[in-house]
């Protein structure tokens, strides 16, 4: 701007110039969460998106975001969560990286706030902190396969009649300790001759594996 003074229509002195700088005001970051985020139990490192439509602010995509967060139930984790962000399928999201403690399961209450590096100013109204959002991370039980053992190989004579082997199959575990109340049944995958002499022909007239692990065959 240039300003000059006039007295009775006559200009008095030289025009003075001053500048007004219009500064960009930092917008607060924003994101959304779902109220319940479900994953399955199991060991190994995980990267789980939790914050969606993550934005550092209008025209502020280059800004970096860090997280202020709290959660309960730390005993669920072998490696405690670290919060960050990533681009997945073209969308910027907030992520949690962690490792569960084996097949532990349960619910974790989480609160998270995003903070960008654009700065805060009470004078200009610049904001660098999002609203705080809460969600529940629910670790569901993943059903694990049962474990059983078989007896050693058994030899019987040809045409020797009906045979019964008690405890042919022994049920050892339904999976994880949390699955101890599960029950199991046996099913025969195949019955074949190891030397192929009876390929395509019936080998047994009776072959039954019972629920208690007893095998009957003839």
């Amino acid at each position: 701007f240039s300003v000059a003074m006039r007295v009775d229509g006559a200009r008095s002195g030289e025009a003075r110039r001053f500048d007004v700088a219009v500064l960009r005001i930092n917008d607060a970051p924003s994101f959304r969460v779902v109220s319940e985020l479900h994953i399955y139990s199991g060991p190994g490192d995980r990267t789980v998106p939790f914050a969606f439509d993550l934005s550092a602010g209008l025209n502020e995509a280059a800004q970096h975001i860090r997280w202020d967060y709290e959660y309960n139930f730390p005993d669920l984790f072998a490696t405690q969560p670290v919060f960050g962000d990533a681009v997945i399928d073209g969308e910027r999201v907030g992520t949690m990286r962690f490792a569960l403690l084996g097949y532990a399961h349960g619910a974790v209450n989480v609160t998270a706030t995003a903070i960008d590096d654009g700065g805060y100013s009470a004078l200009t109204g610049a904001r660098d902190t999002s609203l705080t959002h809460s969600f529940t991370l629910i670790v569901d039980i993943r059903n694990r396969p049962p474990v059983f053992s078989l007896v050693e190989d058994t030899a019987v004579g040809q045409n020797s009649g009906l045979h019964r082997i008690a405890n042919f199959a022994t049920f050892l575990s339904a999976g994880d300790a949390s699955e101890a109340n599960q029950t199991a049944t046996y099913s025969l995958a195949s019955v074949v001759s190891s030397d192929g002499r009876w390929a395509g022909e019936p080998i047994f007239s009776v072959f039954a594996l019972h629920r208690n692990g007893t095998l009957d065959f003839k």
Side-chain angles (χ1 to χ4, degrees), residues 3 24 36 57 59 63 65-66 68 116 118 128 131 135-136 167 177 208 213 215:
V3 177
R24 180 182 297 276
E36 292 185 354
N59 299 319
Q63 290 184 0
I65 290 178
R66 62 182 178 86
D68 184 15
D116 65 32
D128 63 356
L131 297 176
F135 65 96
T136 303
N167 300 318
L215 175 67

Side-chain angles (χ1 to χ4, degrees), residues 29 52 80-81 88 128 136 159 167 172 210:
F52 305 95
Q80 297 300 311
I88 300 177
D128 63 356
T136 303
N159 300 322
N167 300 318
L172 300 177
H210 303 286

Side-chain angles (χ1 to χ4, degrees), residues 14-29:
E14 296 183 358
R16 300 291 182 90
R17 173 182 172 178
F18 68 96
D19 297 326
V20 175
V22 180
L23 303 177
R24 180 182 297 276
I25 296 176
N26 185 41
D27 293 326

Side-chain angles (χ1 to χ4, degrees), residues 24-208:
R24 180 182 297 276
I25 296 176
N26 185 41
D27 293 326
S30 61
F31 64 97
R32 64 177 179 85
V33 298
V34 294
S35 59
E36 292 185 354
L37 188 61
H38 288 260
I39 63 172
Y40 280 113
S41 62
D45 294 333
R46 308 283 189 93
T47 299
V48 177
F50 76 91
F52 305 95
D53 297 331
L54 177 61
S55 171
L58 183 63
N59 299 319
E60 297 172 355
Q63 290 184 0
H64 296 92
I65 290 178
R66 62 182 178 86
W67 296 93
D68 184 15
Y69 56 90
E70 294 182 353
Y71 59 91
N72 64 350
F73 207 174
D75 292 344
L76 193 67
F77 302 98
T79 303
Q80 297 300 311
V82 175
F83 285 53
D85 67 286
V87 176
I88 300 177
D89 295 330
E91 179 186 355
R92 191 175 187 180
V93 298
T95 59
M96 298 173 62
R97 292 188 295 108
F98 56 84
L100 294 171
L101 185 61
Y103 286 87
H105 57 276
V108 184
N109 297 316
V110 183
T111 60
T113 306
I115 305 170
D116 65 32
D117 59 359
Y120 168 84
S121 172
L123 177 64
T124 64
R127 296 291 182 267
D128 63 356
T129 303
S130 74
L131 297 176
T132 297
H133 295 281
S134 300
F135 65 96
T136 303
L137 176 68
I138 299 177
V139 183
D140 296 315
I141 298 174
R142 183 192 295 274
N143 189 34
R144 299 177 66 191
V147 180
F148 68 98
S149 63
L150 297 177
V151 299
E152 298 293 333
D153 294 344
T154 300
V156 298
Q158 188 176 8
N159 300 322
S160 57
L162 181 66
H163 295 270
R164 168 165 287 185
I165 303 177
N167 300 318
F168 171 80
T170 301
F171 177 62
L172 300 177
S173 169
D176 186 68
S178 61
E179 304 170 32
N181 62 340
Q182 294 182 358
T183 58
T185 58
Y186 298 102
S187 63
L188 293 172
S190 62
V191 180
V192 296
S193 169
S194 61
D195 59 11
R197 286 184 295 168
W198 297 297
E201 298 181 10
I203 303 174
F204 300 99
S205 59
V206 175
F207 198 95

